[in-house]
């Protein structure tokens, strides 16, 4: 523990992933100066990043949640097949739903940790205490959903007082964390507190995302969706505050522009692999194939958003700062 009573977190370093791409302190990819995204797209035979849903279940019911339709969890044998078929992918999110709802999550992490993936876990952290010890040292970071102050998190997401002990448990085991916050018009005034909390927690980054019109978000007041111009202004304001307050975490803000369409590849529990979000698709998923039946390089070949994928993950199509401890970054 540090003098402040905060858990000590080991220093994060940058990992070279080849082709001029590294993965660093802000928990995102950075490209070497002058790296041409189109050239990367033409050379690539597999994705930079894939989101694998190990469950659709969750103990929260966030007001913006897109993943409200349920499917049975994949078995460990199914996950093993999917792992083998993901060879060549650089980073893998073991995602949900809420992935820590799976009692066998430690086994799942073990199954993937021996392979060549940068592993990350998007989580609401409520089950952090049960799993932290087992997954420590095997995941690059946990990305925790938090909308800043207690009142805002409780209204928008779930239970702040369940999330925070989970964060502490993960950090006590030395697992680096980042924060992910959804942005509503009614939460704009809380963003600076989210950034301050992220700095206190020594988070790698704060990822700000706009809700997508799917699942629970279909019930949101339309007034909660901010415009692209407002997002721009919000990011500018946060950057000014970041300089004044000397916050360390990187800040990234993603809006749903044509340049970001379909940039994510999401594998559902039954292996169905989708481009996400694809704006003209009913549920924003564009099916690409099934990872239980074919390797990711086959699926990658028919993926039409390769450029958006690289541009987003390398920070070229979003608003983005590097971590303060990073010399440069996308
Ligand atoms: S957004 Fe995440 S934490 Fe919230 S209900 Fe959906 S899966 Fe659970």
């Amino acid at each position: 523990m540090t003098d402040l009573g905060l858990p000590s977190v080991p220093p994060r370093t940058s990992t070279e992933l080849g082709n001029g791409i590294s993965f660093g302190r802000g928990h995102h990819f950075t490209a070497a100066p002058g790296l041409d995204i189109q050239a990367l797209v033409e050379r690539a035979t597999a994705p930079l990043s894939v989101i694998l849903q190990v469950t659709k279940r969750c103990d929260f019911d966030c007001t913006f949640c897109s993943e409200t339709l349920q499917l049975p969890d994949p078995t460990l044998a199914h996950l093993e097949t999917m792992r083998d078929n993901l060879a060549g992918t650089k980073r893998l999110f073991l995602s949900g739903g809420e992935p820590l709802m799976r009692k066998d999550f430690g086994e799942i992490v073990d199954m993937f940790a021996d392979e060549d993936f940068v592993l990350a876990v998007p989580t609401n952290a409520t089950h952090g205490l049960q799993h932290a010890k087992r997954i420590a040292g095997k995941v690059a970071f946990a990305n925790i959903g938090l909308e800043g102050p207690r009142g805002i998190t409780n209204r928008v997401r779930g239970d702040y007082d369940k999330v925070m002990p989970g964060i502490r448990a993960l950090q006590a085991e030395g697992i680096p964390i980042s924060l992910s916050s959804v942005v509503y018009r009614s939460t704009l005034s809380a963003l600076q507190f989210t950034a301050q909390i992220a700095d206190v927690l020594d988070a790698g980054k704060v990822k700000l995302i706009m809700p997508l019109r799917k699942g629970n978000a279909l019930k949101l007041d339309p007034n909660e969706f901010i415009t692209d111009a407002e997002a721009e202004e919000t990011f500018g304001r946060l950057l000014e505050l970041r300089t004044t307050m000397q916050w360390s975490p990187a800040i990234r803000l993603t809006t749903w522009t044509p340049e970001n369409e379909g940039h994510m590849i999401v594998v559902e529990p039954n292996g169905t692999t989708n481009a996400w979000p694809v704006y003209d698709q009913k549920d924003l998923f564009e099916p690409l194939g099934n990872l239980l039946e074919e390797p990711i390089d086959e699926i990658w070949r028919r993926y039409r958003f390769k450029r958006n994928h690289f541009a987003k993950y390398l920070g070229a199509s979003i608003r983005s700062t590097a971590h303060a401890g990073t010399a440069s970054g996308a």
Side-chain angles (χ1 to χ4, degrees):
M1 301 288 272
T2 66
D3 291 340
L4 292 173
L6 296 169
S8 62
V9 177
R12 293 171 293 254
T13 52
S14 179
T15 309
E16 295 300 324
L17 298 174
N19 288 332
I21 298 172
S22 56
F23 187 78
R25 294 192 68 186
H27 296 161
H28 51 255
F29 299 105
T30 51
L35 202 64
D36 176 25
I37 288 182
Q38 191 54 36
L40 277 176
V41 168
E42 281 158 21
R43 276 205 306 271
T45 55
L48 260 186
S49 188
V50 167
I51 298 163
L52 173 59
Q53 295 181 326
V54 302
T55 184
K56 291 262 193 186
R57 293 175 293 127
C58 188
D59 53 342
F60 279 176
D61 187 24
C62 303
T63 54
F64 55 87
C65 184
S66 58
E67 293 310 289
T68 48
L69 293 178
Q70 294 298 303
L71 283 173
D73 290 354
T75 63
L76 291 177
H78 284 154
L79 286 169
E80 209 163 55
T81 303
M82 291 199 254
R83 176 202 63 191
D84 294 347
N85 280 340
L86 279 165
T89 302
K90 299 287 186 204
R91 178 180 65 184
L92 189 61
F93 283 106
L94 295 175
S95 182
E98 172 45 51
L100 303 191
M101 292 282 284
R102 285 199 59 148
K103 290 194 171 59
D104 56 359
F105 190 67
E107 278 176 76
I108 295 172
V109 169
D110 284 347
M111 181 192 294
F112 285 87
D114 288 340
E115 306 299 317
D116 221 5
F117 304 114
V118 172
L119 280 186
V121 181
T123 174
N124 64 26
T126 57
H127 289 71
L129 191 58
Q130 288 98 304
H131 294 287
K133 221 178 253 314
R134 175 76 188 264
I135 68 174
K138 300 170 191 167
V139 299
F141 72 105
N143 193 54
I144 294 144
L146 188 82
E147 277 65 42
R150 180 182 278 110
I152 305 292
T153 297
N154 287 349
R155 173 168 68 81
V156 169
R157 181 173 290 270
D159 189 338
Y160 177 95
D161 292 293
K162 287 186 178 158
V163 176
M164 288 312 261
I167 292 179
R168 288 190 202 102
L170 294 166
Q171 289 200 300
E173 296 300 332
I175 298 171
I177 65 147
S178 277
L179 298 185
S180 179
S181 299
V182 76
V183 178
Y184 292 171
R185 184 166 281 113
S186 68
T187 67
L188 289 175
S189 61
L191 293 180
Q192 58 194 308
F193 301 111
T194 309
Q196 176 64 54
I197 291 169
D199 192 58
V200 170
L201 292 171
D202 193 28
K205 70 180 166 193
V206 185
K207 194 167 78 164
L208 304 173
I209 40 173
M210 307 299 132
L212 278 159
R213 293 172 199 268
K214 180 181 172 188
N216 284 349
L218 293 171
K219 295 178 271 180
L220 282 174
D221 181 338
N223 191 48
E224 290 288 26
F225 294 83
I226 64 170
T227 63
D228 205 34
E230 285 174 293
E232 188 77 56
E233 192 186 315
T234 299
F235 190 67
R237 187 169 49 83
L238 277 175
L239 281 199
E240 274 176 34
L241 279 169
R242 183 175 188 262
T243 305
T244 307
M245 306 301 172
Q246 299 179 19
W247 292 323
S248 287
I251 301 179
R252 286 166 81 86
L253 184 146
T254 302
T255 49
W256 302 119
T257 58
E259 293 73 33
N260 287 326
E261 183 171 21
H263 77 263
M264 290 175 270
I265 297 176
V266 179
V267 184
E268 296 187 88
N270 60 6
T272 304
T273 303
N274 308 282
W276 154 264
V278 181
Y279 306 143
D280 64 358
Q281 297 283 324
K282 187 171 64 64
D283 59 2
L284 307 179
F285 273 156
E286 180 169 288
L288 300 169
N290 192 303
L291 193 65
L292 282 170
E293 294 160 8
E294 56 187 339
I296 195 69
D297 52 348
E298 291 293 328
I299 292 171
W300 177 254
R301 255 184 230 137
R302 59 182 92 98
Y303 174 54
R304 65 187 174 102
F305 297 100
K306 294 185 184 80
R307 186 180 168 84
N308 289 6
H309 181 87
F310 273 94
K312 193 273 174 187
Y313 287 122
L314 292 172
S317 61
I318 62 171
R319 288 119 181 132
S320 173
T321 71
H323 186 279
T326 308
S328 66

